[in-house]
Amino acid sequence: MSMAVTPKTTSTSSRVLRYIGFVAMPLIVIVWSLIDLSLGRELVEWIPYLASGFSMNILITICAVTLGTTAGVTLGLMQLAPFWFVRLPAQIYVQIFRNAPALVLIFATTYIFPFEIVLFGNYLPFPDWVKAVIGLAILSSAYIAEITRGAVLSIPTTQWEATKGLGFSRLQALRYVILPQCVRRSLPPWMNVASSMAMGTSLASLVGVHELMHAATDASTAVRRLDFTIIAYVVVMAAFFTLCYPIARLTRRLEQRFNAG
Amino acid sequence: MTASTATETGAAIVKLEDVHLSFGQTEVLKGIDLTINKGDAVSIIGPSGSGKSTILRCINALVTPQSGKITVAGTRVDQLTKESERIQLRKRVGIVFQQYNLFPHLTVLDNIVLAPTKILGADRTATVKLARELLEKVRLSEKADAYPGQLSGGQQQRVAIARALAMKPELVLFDEVTSALDPETVGEVLWVIRDLIRDGMTSILVTHEMRFAEEISDTVVFTENGRIVDHGSPQQIFHTTDNPRIRQFVGGLSGGGRGAVRDGEGI
């Protein structure tokens, strides 16, 4: 998260970051594996297992961010509604969940929801990873609601006035004039949320979801070698870096482009 | 609706009768009576805070007065209770603001096309054609694909006028449209408005451009402290009035260089 939040770093420090992430970490893994070939053999054996775990992280991230964005934009607009019975529930929701730690939400959704649901007499399994998705989606929806609300409020009132003068209704003004301008403004903070959700997926290992952290723990328990454990977690770090760093880079580029434009 | 199409040149298109309006404790309009005929150009002049802009905002229902009758093109504006009814009115009354308020995320052409296509449901091809004609009219054809941020204030204001005209309004309100512009570009905007008035568009202008008001208006209205002090032909208001306050106001302003209309300048 902090990586993406940092407003502007010099190109030198970002080059150093990229160097550590994309070169140094894989280099450690490769060199160490070549020095001790037995370690390398173990690693090659476990890489597919780790990769299957990592695909779960990607899946959870995509689902949680998609769900969280849809719900968050809706909640953000609800917070601005002229009617209190629309506004108030959204405000309460956002205030509660925006301040909840991700781990608490993941534990809560895991234990609140049943392990299977009955739908028209059919028993459908309710897997743990879906519960983790819901937990992270709740958190991201609260953040994105605030981002949306802030973006709408940041549009000058003269824009609303102009639409009113042309005969737009409030919803038409939102749809055609206000929200399109919000997309530009809220894309960088939205990316921040996306990358922090990507990192948050590792917490799902604590409720037994088979994702990368869980896979690494499995692997190190099975192999029972200290050097393997270290290498396995270096691989985990490198994997999360490749997932989050492009998001952070893209954010920074978008920020610069919007500032320039 | 039908009443508006029936109005012919010379018939009243806007009629305000004893309009009172307050914002909280502040009384802004203290009984405004004003009749504007179709095809007329009316300038509202007067010191700041005299309620000039508020009169315009009453006419297209951006604000609702506490009492009084307002009739615009056959619609009793003061009796509109629903927002949807006010929207119907605003589609027929164009307004141009001091700060242009173009949509920064859209090109000049899309700024003009947006409201007719999305709000009136007009055909896009026909609207684009209309938009290009309007851009030619305001002498900005080559800027169709530019974004508002790339234009000067005067150019943006001319786009804003084209945007209002694209709705084919029955009358246009101009709310101090040159006040935010630097003196060099004032001329090009006034040129466009003058053209529009010559084409017979009913126009109500709140303005500080005294010589322009004198040149193009059929009627000049002088307001102060929420009341209409006097109204009449430009000749009356600017030259033959007996009212010492108007003489002082008009005299005080025409001394400055700002009020001048420079023909063709900046175009």
Side-chain angles (χ1 to χ4, degrees):
Chain A
M1 178 98 175
S2 62
M3 193 165 62
V5 168
T6 319
K8 249 178 204 171
T9 350
T10 58
S11 59
T12 344
S13 77
S14 76
R15 214 174 303 135
V16 169
L17 257 178
R18 214 174 331 175
Y19 177 76
I20 294 172
F22 290 130
V23 182
M25 281 197 281
L27 207 64
I28 292 171
V29 176
I30 292 164
V31 169
W32 203 342
S33 308
L34 290 175
I35 292 170
D36 184 350
L37 280 173
S38 68
L39 177 72
R41 213 171 300 124
E42 289 282 16
L43 193 63
V44 169
E45 215 165 281
W46 282 96
I47 282 288
Y49 188 72
L50 293 176
S52 77
F54 191 51
S55 64
M56 181 56 87
N57 293 79
I58 296 170
L59 180 66
I60 295 176
T61 307
I62 291 170
C63 293
V65 171
T66 310
L67 210 60
T69 304
T70 316
V73 171
T74 312
L75 285 160
L77 295 178
M78 281 170 70
Q79 288 192 88
L80 295 164
F83 315 106
W84 68 266
F85 53 88
V86 180
R87 200 169 54 228
L88 201 64
Q91 282 171 337
I92 292 170
Y93 174 97
V94 170
Q95 286 313 314
I96 289 175
F97 293 117
R98 196 166 60 119
N99 297 307
L103 186 57
V104 173
L105 288 174
I106 290 172
F107 266 79
T109 49
T110 305
Y111 296 115
I112 286 169
F113 293 118
F115 67 94
E116 57 185 14
I117 39 176
V118 187
L119 203 69
F120 305 118
N122 297 316
Y123 285 86
L124 296 173
F126 199 159
D128 281 340
W129 73 267
V130 176
K131 297 175 188 175
V133 164
I134 295 170
L136 288 172
I138 289 173
L139 185 64
S140 60
S141 68
Y143 286 145
I144 288 165
E146 283 298 88
I147 292 169
T148 308
R149 189 180 69 96
V152 171
L153 289 179
S154 76
I155 306 292
T157 51
T158 52
Q159 288 287 308
W160 287 98
E161 201 176 36
T163 58
K164 239 181 162 182
L166 286 165
F168 286 70
S169 71
R170 207 179 141 80
L171 283 177
Q172 286 171 326
L174 258 181
R175 162 80 181 77
Y176 297 114
V177 176
I178 307 298
L179 284 182
Q181 293 183 54
C182 290
V183 172
R184 272 176 75 114
R185 292 171 190 228
S186 52
L187 209 52
W190 178 84
M191 294 251 172
N192 265 340
V193 173
S195 74
S196 79
M197 287 307 125
M199 284 180 257
T201 55
S202 61
L203 296 170
S205 65
L206 296 172
V207 292
V209 177
H210 172 71
E211 50 73 71
L212 184 57
M213 271 299 283
H214 203 265
T217 313
D218 279 353
S220 70
T221 317
V223 176
R224 301 227 277 176
R225 276 176 61 171
L226 179 62
D227 53 356
F228 179 80
T229 303
I230 294 170
I231 279 296
Y233 285 110
V234 171
V235 169
V236 170
M237 277 176 68
F240 273 107
F241 185 87
T242 40
L243 182 58
C244 297
Y245 187 73
I247 300 177
R249 284 296 299 171
L250 192 60
T251 307
R252 209 168 301 152
R253 196 163 310 160
L254 286 172
E255 273 172 347
Q256 278 163 4
R257 180 134 61 111
F258 291 162
N259 286 342
Chain B
M1 279 284 167
T2 44
S4 66
T5 45
T7 39
E8 287 156 25
T9 308
I13 189 167
V14 175
K15 201 171 168 100
L16 281 77
E17 291 165 78
D18 197 28
V19 171
H20 287 261
L21 184 138
S22 327
F23 294 125
Q25 294 294 311
T26 325
E27 223 185 330
V28 184
L29 301 181
K30 303 170 186 169
I32 297 286
D33 292 283
L34 182 65
T35 305
I36 292 160
N37 293 330
K38 192 161 175 61
D40 273 4
V42 176
S43 297
I44 304 174
I45 61 169
S48 299
S50 62
K52 304 186 295 288
S53 293
T54 312
I55 295 174
L56 291 191
R57 274 146 214 260
C58 283
I59 292 172
N60 77 343
L62 282 175
V63 290
T64 308
Q66 272 78 25
S67 68
K69 273 171 73 176
I70 303 176
T71 316
V72 175
T75 305
R76 273 293 297 276
V77 179
D78 55 295
Q79 288 178 343
L80 301 180
T81 47
K82 291 198 209 102
E83 187 62 15
S84 59
E85 295 169 337
R86 295 193 190 102
I87 286 170
Q88 285 308 320
L89 173 79
R90 287 185 205 125
K91 288 177 189 171
R92 298 157 55 205
V93 181
I95 186 163
V96 184
F97 298 97
Q98 183 179 341
Q99 290 292 345
Y100 358 114
N101 305 350
L102 295 180
F103 306 134
H105 63 298
L106 297 177
T107 62
V108 164
L109 192 72
D110 285 335
N111 260 279
I112 301 171
V113 170
L114 183 70
T117 51
K118 301 298 180 194
I119 309 304
L120 299 180
D123 172 59
R124 197 180 152 88
T125 335
T127 311
V128 168
K129 192 166 166 279
L130 171 69
R132 292 202 185 275
E133 283 166 19
L134 289 169
L135 279 175
E136 199 167 323
K137 207 169 177 178
V138 301
R139 299 189 168 193
L140 283 172
S141 295
E142 75 286 358
K143 298 286 185 191
D145 299 317
Y147 283 88
Q150 300 165 320
L151 304 183
S152 73
Q155 291 172 330
Q156 289 193 51
Q157 192 59 289
R158 285 186 279 156
V159 174
I161 293 171
R163 183 175 68 175
L165 293 177
M167 294 291 279
K168 297 180 181 156
E170 290 165 45
L171 73 154
V172 183
L173 314 173
F174 294 93
D175 189 3
E176 296 193 30
V177 291
T178 55
S179 300
L181 301 176
D182 61 276
E184 293 221 321
T185 58
V186 168
E188 64 191 48
V189 173
L190 294 183
W191 194 92
V192 166
I193 298 173
R194 186 194 292 126
D195 243 22
L196 205 61
I197 290 169
R198 277 187 192 147
D199 291 349
M201 175 60 80
T202 312
S203 310
I204 308 174
L205 302 96
V206 166
T207 185
H208 291 296
E209 305 286 341
M210 293 303 151
R211 285 198 205 149
F212 181 68
E214 185 182 345
E215 181 207 326
I216 53 94
S217 306
D218 297 301
T219 308
V220 177
V221 177
F222 184 86
T223 58
E224 185 161 43
N225 292 323
R227 288 197 177 83
I228 291 179
V229 179
D230 199 4
H231 68 280
S233 68
Q235 174 69 15
Q236 256 173 294
I237 298 296
F238 288 107
H239 302 291
T240 60
T241 182
D242 297 328
N243 189 314
R245 178 66 186 108
I246 300 178
R247 291 182 84 99
Q248 184 202 356
F249 182 81
V250 171
L253 281 179
S254 57
R258 183 67 206 279
V261 180
R262 287 133 303 199
D263 250 292
E265 189 183 299
I267 300 169

